[in-house]
């Protein structure tokens, strides 16, 4: 795209119109875009004028992008997390990452749809659904869970309805939809990208990440948005741990398959791989064999320390500590307190709204039960049978039970909270670092993991550590899955180097990304229940 704009065969305005046309062709099927930016073409025209005058801000100059609808923009668009309760509210400023992208010359195309409140409100719901945006669907199979909660960001890029997109992750919400839409998803260390201006879940785990069809695309976006921001004190910790943007940022670490002769990857088999289904396992093991044939060294059984305790054997479960009988070892113990406090802080800066607290949101959902499903759709009776309540909506099967759990904490950071915070962070950091260092004379290049096994990004999320997922293969129903790399804090350069080398190695081999085939595009299931990633 940059080459075409540089040689004059394409303008940013024309490029934006191409994506507008593509969105209009696809959005009635996949609902990836929640709202267009009415200023899009004027922004593109200004950037075209700059190019004509000899000023090109960088590789993103004139490139349109979307962002998840929990990322604030101070313009003529809404920022609502998919919930009508925040319609008309006015944010004080652009989110820091949006200001950075504008400065880099990217064009704000619109807001991507998402799971309402980034999946925080319920424990049993339809992934990718919000009352404002409807049900997001994957262009690979329109009747299968598209992944979330950054569902629209991923689905739009996968369908080529937008070039690049921004998402957010608290526990899986970048990695999961990326791998389920055959994309590169880059979730940075917590604090590498500022969360200022992002509707929060947990200050201890929230991270702003990027989606692209290639590692290069995702990394160029990351280069625009990383950096310290006084409005997010977590971002200040990165100083001294990141490359200078003037030296080339993270893009300088992009590599080819020839670099794999210097790579040593670990496979945490008992920690994660044993939970991978046979269909994926066959493809991923074959892919790993291909990497070995190109010179990469693979060490099996590089296990997460104490994985028997901290890794759920029954799929993704952010309340696994409580499941084991130890709420003081549970991620959800932390998140539900953080959300109560963090959302109040965010709402306090808004103008033109009466929504000021979690209680206000809960009350709104009850008052608008027909559309918001504040009450459970079913309850379980004494015979362990689901009984319809006559209230709620099927998209939010359990109503707003996670909101209520958060509300019940009153935001009190008690002893149980601090014990849970210490346990989840310390055990996972120690566990991943052990896997990276204890099985080789030098630190591993990264841990190769199957990201469709949700426990992978759950452990990384608790540790605040970065991950990248790369398209790897497809199920028989057409849905994609990925191969992911896990690393330690501030080790994004390693993920860029080895992620791009793996991507290059599998290009043209039958592994990796292919265009979506819009399977079952004529079908439109009512819901796709999924207790999923946040």
């Amino acid at each position: 795209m940059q080459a075409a704009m540089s040689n004059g065969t394409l303008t940013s305005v024309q490029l934006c119109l191409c994506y507008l046309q593509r969105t209009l062709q696809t959005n009635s099927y996949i609902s990836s875009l929640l709202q267009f930016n009415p200023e899009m073409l004027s922004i593109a025209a200004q950037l075209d004028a700059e190019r004509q005058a000899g000023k090109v801000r960088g590789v993103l100059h004139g490139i349109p992008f979307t962002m998840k609808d929990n990322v604030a923009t101070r313009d003529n668009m809404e920022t609502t997390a998919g919930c009508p309760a925040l319609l008309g509210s006015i944010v004080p400023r652009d989110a820091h990452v949006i200001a950075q992208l504008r400065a880099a010359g990217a064009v704000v195309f619109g807001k991507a749809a998402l799971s309402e409140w980034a999946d925080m409100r319920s424990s049993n719901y339809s992934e990718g659904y919000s009352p404002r945006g409807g049900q997001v669907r994957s262009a690979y199979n329109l009747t299968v869970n598209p992944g979330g909660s950054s569902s629209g960001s991923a689905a739009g890029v996968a369908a080529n309805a937008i070039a690049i997109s921004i998402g957010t992750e608290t526990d899986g919400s970048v990695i999961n939809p990326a791998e389920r839409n055959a994309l590169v998803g880059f979730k940075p260390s917590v604090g590498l990208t500022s969360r200022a201006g992002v509707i929060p879940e947990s200050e201890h785990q929230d991270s702003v990440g990027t989606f692209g069809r290639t590692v290069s695309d995702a990394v160029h976006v990351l280069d625009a948005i990383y950096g310290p921001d006084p409005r997010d004190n977590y971002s200040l910790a990165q100083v001294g741990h990141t490359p200078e943007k003037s030296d080339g940022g993270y893009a300088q670490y992009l590599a080819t398959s020839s670099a794999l002769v210097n790579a040593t990857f670990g496979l945490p088999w008992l920690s994660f791989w044993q939970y991978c289904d046979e269909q994926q396992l066959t493809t991923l093991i074959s892919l790993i064999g291909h990497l070995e044939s190109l010179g990469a060294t693979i060490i099996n059984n590089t296990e997460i320390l104490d994985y028997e305790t901290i890794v759920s054997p029954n799929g993704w479960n952010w309340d696994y500590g409580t499941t084991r009988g130890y709420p003081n070892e549970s991620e959800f113990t932390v998140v539900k307190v953080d959300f109560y406090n963090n959302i109040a802080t965010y709402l306090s800066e808004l103008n033109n709204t009466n929504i000021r607290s979690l209680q206000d949101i809960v009350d709104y959902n009850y008052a608008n039960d027909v559309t918001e499903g504040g009450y459970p759709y079913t309850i379980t009776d004494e015979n362990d049978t689901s009984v319809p309540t006559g209230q709620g909506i099927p998209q939010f099967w359990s109503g707003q039970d996670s909101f209520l759990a958060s509300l019940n904490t009153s935001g009190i950071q008690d002893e149980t909270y601090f014990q849970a915070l210490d346990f989840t962070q310390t055990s996972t950091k120690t566990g991943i670092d052990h896997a990276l260092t204890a099985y080789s004379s030098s630190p591993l290049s990264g841990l190769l993991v199957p990201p469709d096994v949700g426990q992978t990004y759950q452990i990384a999320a608790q540790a605040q550590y970065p991950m990248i997922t790369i398209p790897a293969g497809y199920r028989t129903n057409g849905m994609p899955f990925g191969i992911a790399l896990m690393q330690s804090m501030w080790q994004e350069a390693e993920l860029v180097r080895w992620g791009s080398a793996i991507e290059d190695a599998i290009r043209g081999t039958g592994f990796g990304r292919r265009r979506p085939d819009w399977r079952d595009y004529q079908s439109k299931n009512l819901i796709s229940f999924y207790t999923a990633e946040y």
Side-chain angles (χ1 to χ4, degrees):
M1 286 185 270
Q2 284 298 339
M5 287 189 285
S6 294
N7 65 28
T9 60
L10 181 70
T11 67
S12 178
V13 168
Q14 290 171 326
L15 181 60
C16 288
L17 288 172
C18 286
Y19 279 118
L20 174 59
Q21 182 180 36
R22 177 68 174 170
T23 299
L24 292 172
Q25 290 171 337
T26 62
N27 212 49
S28 61
Y29 294 95
I30 61 173
S31 300
S32 62
L33 194 76
L34 193 153
Q35 183 178 15
F36 282 113
N37 178 14
E39 299 171 310
M40 172 188 64
L41 293 179
S42 62
I43 295 171
Q46 176 189 340
L47 292 164
D48 283 335
E50 287 186 13
R51 188 184 294 272
Q52 282 289 103
K55 177 183 177 182
V56 177
R57 303 188 193 188
V59 68
L60 296 182
H61 189 109
I63 305 293
F65 73 99
T66 59
M67 78 294 300
K68 191 176 181 179
D69 184 45
N70 62 349
V71 182
T73 55
R74 187 69 158 87
D75 53 16
N76 288 313
M77 291 190 295
E78 306 275 0
T79 303
T80 68
C83 179
L86 291 185
L87 279 171
S89 63
I90 300 172
V91 300
R93 64 192 71 85
D94 277 343
H96 181 75
V97 294
I98 299 302
Q100 295 287 86
L101 284 164
R102 289 189 197 270
V107 180
V108 179
F109 186 85
K111 294 289 181 78
L114 73 165
S115 306
E116 190 188 40
W117 293 107
D119 287 342
M120 179 62 205
R121 57 162 286 166
S122 309
S123 60
N124 193 339
Y125 55 89
S126 183
E127 186 75 276
Y129 176 82
S130 72
R132 280 199 69 211
Q135 179 65 60
V136 178
R137 303 175 192 277
S138 170
Y140 287 90
N141 187 322
L142 276 76
T143 64
V144 178
N145 164 38
S149 63
S150 304
S151 312
S153 295
V157 176
N160 199 24
I162 195 64
I164 47 180
S165 192
I166 294 291
T168 65
E169 175 165 322
T170 305
D171 191 330
S173 285
V174 168
I175 298 298
N176 176 256
E179 66 103 9
R180 292 186 66 81
N181 285 275
L183 296 178
V184 174
F186 205 125
K187 177 252 177 177
S189 302
V190 172
L192 186 73
T193 51
S194 169
R195 291 85 51 86
V198 176
I199 297 176
E201 281 190 38
S202 169
E203 63 186 279
H204 293 101
Q205 292 185 197
D206 291 352
S207 183
V208 179
T210 65
F211 295 93
R213 283 183 289 279
T214 64
V215 173
S216 176
D217 282 358
V219 169
H220 283 308
V221 182
L222 180 66
D223 274 346
I225 64 176
Y226 84 87
D229 172 23
R231 294 187 184 277
D232 181 357
N233 63 327
Y234 282 72
S235 73
L236 305 181
Q238 70 184 270
V239 176
H241 299 287
T242 59
E244 294 291 334
K245 293 194 178 188
S246 58
D247 292 337
Y250 287 104
Q252 66 183 297
Y253 299 104
L254 291 166
T256 63
S257 60
S258 62
L260 289 172
V261 295
N262 299 312
T264 302
F265 301 115
L267 296 184
W269 191 269
L270 295 176
S271 304
F272 304 124
W273 282 90
Q274 66 168 321
Y275 304 116
C276 191
D277 66 73
E278 197 66 35
Q279 192 174 136
Q280 294 186 51
L281 202 57
T282 300
T283 297
L284 293 177
I285 293 302
S286 178
L287 189 157
I288 288 168
H290 176 62
L291 299 181
E292 285 185 298
S293 73
L294 295 175
T297 299
I298 308 293
I299 303 177
N300 198 5
N301 298 119
T302 54
E303 304 303 339
I304 305 296
L305 185 66
D306 292 333
Y307 71 88
E308 303 94 333
T309 299
I310 64 175
V311 177
S312 164
N314 299 311
W316 182 93
N317 181 358
W318 74 346
D319 203 12
Y320 182 55
T322 302
T323 301
R324 293 187 289 108
Y326 298 97
N328 63 338
E329 296 181 358
S330 170
E331 174 187 351
F332 190 52
T333 296
V334 176
V335 173
K336 64 187 179 182
V337 172
D338 284 353
F339 182 73
Y340 183 97
N341 296 315
N342 297 161
I343 195 65
T345 300
Y346 175 85
L347 294 172
S348 70
E349 286 201 297
L350 300 184
N351 289 317
N352 200 43
T353 182
N354 294 321
I355 303 296
R356 295 298 179 191
S357 67
L358 177 56
Q359 183 68 65
D360 292 338
I361 299 169
V362 167
D363 290 345
Y364 177 89
N365 291 340
Y366 282 142
N368 296 275
D369 182 56
V370 172
T371 55
E372 281 293 334
Y375 295 96
Y377 190 66
T378 68
I379 57 173
T380 302
D381 66 12
E382 64 275 5
N383 299 316
D384 202 31
T385 302
S386 291
V387 179
T389 64
Q391 296 176 301
I393 58 176
Q395 290 86 349
F396 296 121
W397 198 260
S398 60
Q400 52 181 334
D401 54 311
S402 294
F403 274 179
L404 296 175
S406 178
L407 193 63
N408 286 339
T409 72
S410 298
I412 297 172
Q413 297 176 335
D414 57 13
E415 183 178 5
T416 301
Y417 168 87
F418 283 112
Q419 288 176 352
L421 179 61
D422 179 67
F423 178 84
T424 53
Q425 290 193 348
T426 301
S427 64
T428 53
K429 289 177 189 287
T430 302
I432 294 172
D433 290 345
H434 172 85
L436 287 166
T437 59
Y439 300 92
S440 177
S441 58
S442 57
L444 299 177
S445 305
L447 301 176
L448 280 172
V449 297
D452 208 50
V453 173
Q455 299 95 310
T456 58
Y457 43 73
Q458 181 182 357
I459 295 301
Q462 292 177 21
Q464 305 180 317
Y465 282 3
M467 280 185 70
I468 188 172
T469 182
I470 301 145
Y474 297 82
R475 294 178 178 272
T476 54
N477 67 358
M479 285 299 290
F481 55 86
I483 185 80
L485 274 172
M486 186 184 294
Q487 253 293 352
S488 190
M489 197 74 171
W490 312 126
Q491 295 303 307
E492 280 76 8
E494 293 293 284
L495 296 184
V496 173
R497 176 183 289 113
W498 304 120
S500 56
I502 292 171
E503 177 186 63
D504 186 53
I506 64 180
R507 187 174 286 117
T509 61
F511 300 113
R513 185 177 190 275
R514 67 184 185 216
R515 292 180 179 179
D517 54 12
W518 301 83
R519 189 171 302 199
D520 288 330
Y521 71 92
Q522 292 174 313
S523 302
K524 199 161 187 178
N525 57 325
L526 176 62
I527 50 175
S528 52
F529 293 122
Y530 190 64
T531 302
E533 296 69 31
Y534 292 66

